[in-house]
Amino acid sequence: MSTLSVWRFDTPDGAENAVGTLGELSQQKLITVHDAATVSWQPGAKKPRTRQLQDLTSAGARGGAFWGMLFGLLFLVPLLGAAIGAAAGALTGRLTDVGIDDTSIKRAREEITPGTSALFVLTSDAVRDRVQEAFAGERAELLFTNLTREQEDTLREAFAE
């Protein structure tokens, strides 16, 4: 089963730093990255910069369309007006199918702000203790995951150290 997680960092380059660690773990076969993208929002910028991480992902990734729709809903819809309303409603329904509900979308909108960054990642086959060890001290906040509550708490503890 794949796990979708969204991590928020207190700096604009925090997510990019985490990508390096994620890449090393992937090369060591300690985690399989199916798809990933980052959001980096520089202080004073009107919009965040997004990037799909094709270099880390395995074959069969969801592709740019998924991330484009998600980021469009998170960061652009409020600027585009009512004409996009129906499309946004349809997209929200599709995201609910993969476990991203309205509450998660709202929280991401509120938490990913100028001066922060976020890592959106779809993974599987993680060697949890080794992954947690590699990310210890990164100071990231887990905004969303489709993990069980127990698994989520374990991840939160690892990043809080």
Side-chain angles (χ1 to χ4, degrees):
M1 178 178 100
S2 294
T3 300
L4 175 64
S5 300
V6 180
W7 295 93
R8 179 194 171 275
F9 299 84
D10 288 334
T11 62
D13 61 346
E16 287 297 327
N17 295 339
V19 166
T21 303
L22 195 59
E24 292 170 15
L25 293 168
S26 180
Q27 287 178 345
Q28 295 172 31
K29 307 285 189 231
L30 296 172
I31 193 168
T32 301
V33 179
H34 298 287
D35 210 351
T38 60
V39 174
S40 176
W41 202 332
Q42 295 296 323
K46 291 182 182 184
K47 289 192 282 188
R49 183 178 54 90
T50 61
R51 181 171 78 96
Q52 184 177 1
L53 306 175
Q54 295 174 346
D55 54 326
L56 287 183
T57 59
S58 61
R62 288 180 186 265
F66 175 77
W67 299 121
M69 289 186 304
L70 177 60
F71 294 151
L73 183 63
L74 287 174
F75 303 112
L76 301 177
V77 170
L79 304 176
L80 295 177
I84 305 299
L91 175 58
T92 301
R94 289 182 66 194
L95 293 174
T96 300
D97 292 342
V98 294
I100 305 172
D101 60 14
D102 289 340
T103 304
S104 300
I105 291 168
K106 183 178 182 221
R107 181 169 184 214
R109 264 192 209 138
E110 292 170 352
E111 298 282 336
I112 303 169
T113 58
T116 68
S117 60
L119 173 63
F120 294 71
V121 62
L122 184 66
T123 61
S124 65
D125 305 319
V127 180
R128 291 193 196 281
D129 59 336
R130 297 283 303 275
V131 172
Q132 290 170 351
E133 190 178 290
F135 279 101
E138 283 287 329
R139 305 285 305 157
E141 178 184 1
L142 182 62
L143 295 182
F144 170 83
T145 185
N146 59 353
L147 293 172
T148 66
R149 174 56 76 182
E150 181 179 303
Q151 293 167 326
E152 183 179 333
D153 288 343
T154 302
L155 279 177
R156 285 183 196 277
E157 288 173 21
F159 274 88
E161 293 174 359

